[in-house]
Amino acid sequence: MIKGCVVGLGNRGRSVLKDVLLNLDGLEIVSVCDVYEDRMQEGEKIVSEAGGKAEGFLDYKKALSVEGVEAVFIFSDWSSH
């Protein structure tokens, strides 16, 4: 099982998390992160509703430091590209 982290939970990040990542066999989302607390909490809720448990963070460095994280999915806003 690969443990993953999702950074960026705007429209695109939430959509991909819910519709793609949580449906992949062999992938467990263990942390989520966004600079906006309500988005971070929504990410935690989406993972929880899918039967998982993800720790939420406002700081990406903390999200990446969760034990076992092997894959990172980044969905940043257009201005940060």
Side-chain angles (χ1 to χ4, degrees):
M1 181 74 64
I2 295 173
K3 293 183 178 184
C5 169
V6 175
V7 177
L9 293 160
N11 290 332
R12 204 173 2 176
R14 282 192 314 270
S15 269
V16 174
L17 172 62
K18 186 176 183 177
D19 298 335
V20 179
L21 299 177
L22 291 172
N23 294 307
L24 291 175
D25 290 335
L27 176 63
E28 175 186 12
I29 301 300
V30 296
S31 66
V32 294
C33 176
D34 197 279
V35 295
Y36 298 106
E37 188 167 2
D38 61 326
R39 290 181 182 180
M40 178 267 296
Q41 291 172 342
E42 180 67 18
E44 289 177 312
K45 181 180 172 186
I46 290 168
V47 174
S48 176
E49 289 174 347
K53 181 168 179 5
E55 244 183 297
F57 299 91
L58 299 174
D59 180 342
Y60 78 92
K61 292 177 185 176
K62 290 180 181 178
L64 297 178
S65 71
V66 170
E67 186 175 338
V69 169
E70 301 169 286
V72 181
F73 304 92
I74 301 172
F75 303 99
S76 58
D77 65 40
W78 296 111
S79 66
S80 62
H81 287 214

